[in-house]
Amino acid sequence: MAFQPEPLGPADAAALRANLLSGNALGMVSMLFWAAGFPAAELLLDTWPPLALIAARLLMVLVLLLPLWLAIDGVHVLANASWRRGIWVGGIGFGFGTWLLLISQSLTDPVTVALIASAMPIAATLIELFYRVRRPSRLFLIGMAASVTGGVIATWGKSPTDFGLGGLAAVASCFLFAWASFCTVRDLPNLTALGRTTLTFTGAAIVVVIMFLGTTLAGVDVMPRAPVDGRQITLLIVYAIGAMALSQVCFIAAIARLGVAVTSLHINIAPFYVMVIMTVLGATWSWQQAFGAAIVGLGVIVSQRR
């Protein structure tokens, strides 16, 4: 069966609207969880090397998701899943992709990473064009342009660090993540969002752990530079369970309803969510970011007009 990224649902208009509503709600929730990871990662990177942090993050995710997947879907589903394909897609796309994103943040700052992430819809659209599963309409292109513009406005004037290697790492991460998200839904059609996420993150964990062990055997010290206390464990739970496990399950579920290009438009509203979280923690409210978020939301709506 050919993969259809467009939000196609039952012929009944009410059912189609419900499909779009649930897909966009999942996209919003996914980005809310994902945004919570930026402040947590910034604090953890003070003492954690990127490779050790991403390895610990993925292993913590699997400790939660593997038993949950087994309990919900059963042994038969796990035994008959496409493990080879899932591990390949997850290892290349999510393993290297998440590592490169963390490398980018360690070399630059959260603002720079958020700004580059606003190009994610472009990467996702190019992926769908490459696989010939989408012919972008004029409204979709207008919505994508509005979404990217809103993401830029939300981070404008924040003096992000110069691009350099950190910027290039973030760009590469965007393309890897878009490709892996697309392939996860296309190549694992018989699994739930939980199953797709767990299987591909297993591949990501395998790749990152191999990188970690190889680096350690080469004599490079990649262990945390300070004792892992309760505060760091709490931050790691937020960074792993919230910003990775829950976020990715919602993201993959949204892609199944909307397609990777439309779902990725929600990424551009992440800076607004970060601002909301920081405001709760005592930071100052920014109407500039709120305005940028409104433009992103408008772009998401326009992109799905038919």
Side-chain angles (χ1 to χ4, degrees):
M1 179 182 294
F3 174 71
Q4 295 289 345
E6 297 288 352
L8 298 177
D12 180 71
L16 178 57
R17 285 194 297 270
N19 195 49
L20 290 173
L21 181 62
S22 63
N24 283 288
L26 286 165
M28 293 174 63
V29 171
S30 171
M31 289 304 102
L32 184 58
F33 281 126
W34 188 62
F38 281 97
E42 192 69 8
L43 294 172
L44 288 167
L45 284 170
D46 289 339
T47 55
W48 285 72
L51 192 55
L53 180 55
I54 198 62
R57 185 189 194 192
L58 282 165
L59 290 176
M60 181 175 286
V61 165
L62 291 182
V63 167
L64 170 69
L65 293 187
L66 275 172
L68 190 61
W69 185 25
L70 178 63
I72 293 176
D73 290 349
V75 177
H76 178 75
V77 172
L78 272 71
N80 290 280
S82 301
W83 283 92
R84 180 178 299 179
R85 183 60 180 170
I87 288 174
W88 168 258
V89 169
I92 299 299
F94 298 135
F96 285 113
T98 52
W99 175 67
L100 285 172
L101 191 66
L102 197 59
I103 287 290
S104 175
Q105 185 168 345
S106 68
L107 294 176
T108 58
D109 53 72
V111 174
T112 299
V113 176
L115 178 60
I116 298 172
S118 67
M120 177 70 172
I122 299 175
T125 302
L126 291 175
I127 293 295
E128 290 189 346
L129 287 174
F130 177 79
Y131 286 101
R132 299 181 179 180
V133 295
R134 178 187 292 277
R135 289 182 296 176
S137 66
R138 187 192 317 174
L139 285 176
F140 173 80
L141 294 176
I142 292 173
M144 183 177 69
S147 178
V148 173
T149 300
V152 172
I153 289 175
T155 54
W156 188 263
K158 301 299 181 181
S159 300
T161 307
D162 292 339
F163 252 47
L165 292 177
L168 292 176
V171 171
S173 175
C174 282
F175 277 92
L176 285 173
F177 195 87
W179 172 79
S181 298
F182 170 83
C183 291
T184 296
V185 175
R186 183 195 65 177
D187 298 343
L188 305 172
N190 297 323
L191 296 181
T192 61
L194 174 61
R196 290 166 173 167
T197 300
T198 307
L199 180 50
T200 51
F201 274 179
T202 299
I206 290 173
V207 166
V208 171
V209 168
I210 290 174
M211 292 169 60
F212 178 81
L213 293 176
T215 304
T216 302
L217 292 175
V220 180
D221 185 10
V222 291
M223 297 301 292
R225 295 182 293 272
V228 180
D229 54 18
R231 175 175 175 271
Q232 292 192 44
I233 292 176
T234 300
L235 290 171
L236 191 57
I237 290 173
V238 173
Y239 189 49
I241 305 303
M244 179 169 258
L246 297 177
S247 174
Q248 184 69 359
V249 169
C250 293
F251 193 73
I252 293 300
I255 290 174
R257 292 164 172 80
L258 305 175
V260 66
V262 173
T263 303
S264 65
L265 295 178
H266 285 278
I267 291 177
N268 291 341
I269 208 169
F272 173 73
Y273 293 150
V274 174
M275 182 194 69
V276 172
I277 294 171
M278 298 305 294
T279 300
V280 172
L281 296 176
T284 304
W285 176 267
S286 170
W287 284 107
Q288 174 185 325
Q289 287 192 332
F291 179 63
I295 296 178
V296 172
L298 180 62
V300 171
I301 295 172
V302 171
S303 70
Q304 296 171 68
R305 299 286 296 178
R306 308 187 73 187

